[in-house]
Amino acid sequence: MADVFKEPTVVKDSYLVGLIGSGIGPSLSPALHEREADRQGLRYVYRLIDIDVLDVGPEAVGDLVRAARDLGFDGLNITHPCKQLVIEHLDGLAPQAEALGAVNTVVLAADGRAIGHNTDVTGFAASFARGLPDAPMERVVQLGAGGAGAAVAHATLTLGAERVTVVDALPERAAALADSLNRHFGADRASAAGPELLPALLTGADGIVHATPTGMAAHPGLPFPASLLHPALWVAEVVYRPLETQLLRTARTLGCATLDGAGMAVFQAADAFRLFTGREPDTARMLTDIAELAGAVPTPK
């Protein structure tokens, strides 16, 4: 039986890819992919497929994937709020995506299969190792248990965190992610909590990973009161547009070590580019790209 996780190797110099999600107009993914493709001499078109513009709900993701396949797309990136909903519409999942229960990259193979991957895990891990290499990780709090949250929680434990407490406005979602993490990494590596416990949790935490849409261009503001931050806490952000969210700006003012979302955006994009094209991207050039595109140089600390 053929391995559904192995994409057929097809030598091409022209690619059509897209991004499915809500409120994705400000996304830098098209420019990141197209700039790297231009440097490699590829014809590469990256389209935004915004469910808000199309006036459809997240449940339409299956129809959109099928339409993209029929139209000859080579691959899709998937973002909020479709990373989990898309799974039932795919023909197979790479092991990491299956373990996470979330997909951010779909390869539309030449034989017609749609295979889901997750490059958020490797993207966040590479960014954290680069930007906060010496951060203490005994007790980590993560805010957000959605598709991005599942990926960064796996990455955080892979990086060596002793324990991660997942906080989400939906208690059942936080509990489900914590259970999944414990099955994958071992008992008592993760736990779930409600937002009302954030003050106590952050008092004794080494760091917080923020993995909700709050702070994005379409969802401005702070995800929790600024009074909960303290200088001994490192703060890692998943949002990259804007590059400096209100959370990061406030944390830096208080003296916290911080990590913006630019590195994760670049490394996950680079991994997706590799899956789509079979070619090796230059992440150093892509990091320069995102600094230029976002209008500021990423500041990891």
Side-chain angles (χ1 to χ4, degrees):
M1 180 177 177
D3 186 346
V4 297
F5 309 129
K6 297 291 186 181
E7 313 306 340
T9 301
V10 179
V11 178
K12 298 175 56 174
D13 61 7
S14 179
Y15 295 87
L16 174 61
V17 301
L19 171 66
I20 297 176
S22 170
I24 55 177
S27 174
L28 298 182
S29 290
L32 278 175
H33 280 251
E34 290 177 351
R35 281 190 176 201
E36 180 59 20
D38 286 346
R39 287 188 290 255
Q40 298 205 22
L42 303 176
R43 295 181 61 200
Y44 197 103
V45 177
Y46 193 116
R47 298 298 190 200
L48 295 180
I49 306 170
D50 195 321
I51 61 174
D52 296 347
V53 174
L54 295 174
D55 196 24
V56 298
E59 65 280 358
V61 66
D63 292 334
L64 295 174
V65 169
R66 284 186 288 273
R69 179 163 48 189
D70 292 344
L71 290 169
F73 277 65
D74 297 288
L76 296 164
N77 285 134
I78 310 292
T79 191
H80 176 78
C82 301
K83 292 183 179 183
Q84 292 157 320
L85 292 171
V86 73
I87 290 176
E88 64 182 286
H89 304 288
L90 303 177
D91 300 304
L93 296 175
Q96 197 163 64
E98 185 171 18
L100 289 169
V103 163
N104 80 322
T105 301
V106 176
V107 175
L108 299 173
D111 61 4
R113 294 174 303 142
I115 307 300
H117 300 260
N118 196 300
T119 66
D120 284 334
V121 181
T122 50
F124 183 80
S127 177
F128 195 97
R130 171 181 173 271
L132 290 173
D134 302 316
M137 299 186 72
E138 184 177 344
R139 290 166 295 179
V140 177
V141 175
Q142 178 176 302
L143 183 58
V152 298
H154 273 250
T156 301
L157 285 168
T158 300
L159 286 164
E162 293 185 23
R163 186 175 179 85
V164 172
T165 302
V166 181
V167 177
D168 196 273
L170 299 175
E172 65 279 8
R173 187 162 69 171
L177 177 54
D179 288 345
S180 173
L181 293 168
N182 285 327
R183 285 194 302 271
H184 191 79
F185 291 95
D188 300 323
R189 296 293 301 281
S191 60
E196 72 280 0
L197 295 179
L198 260 183
L201 289 169
L202 291 183
T203 297
D206 294 309
I208 181 167
V209 179
H210 174 234
T212 83
T214 302
M216 293 173 64
H219 305 278
L222 282 171
F224 53 83
S227 59
L228 300 187
L229 294 168
H230 55 86
L233 193 72
W234 55 258
V235 179
E237 176 69 270
V238 172
V239 173
Y240 75 90
R241 192 71 185 269
L243 197 59
E244 184 181 69
T245 61
Q246 189 173 343
L247 174 61
L248 289 183
R249 185 163 55 251
T250 304
R252 286 172 183 153
T253 299
L254 292 172
C256 300
T258 62
L259 178 72
D260 61 40
M264 179 179 176
V266 163
F267 290 113
Q268 67 80 19
D271 289 345
F273 183 92
R274 189 182 298 108
L275 284 168
F276 293 151
T277 67
R279 291 171 167 83
E280 190 63 30
D282 187 324
T283 55
R285 294 188 302 195
M286 293 177 73
L287 285 164
T288 299
D289 288 338
I290 201 168
E292 294 175 356
L293 292 164
V297 176
T299 307
K301 291 184 180 180

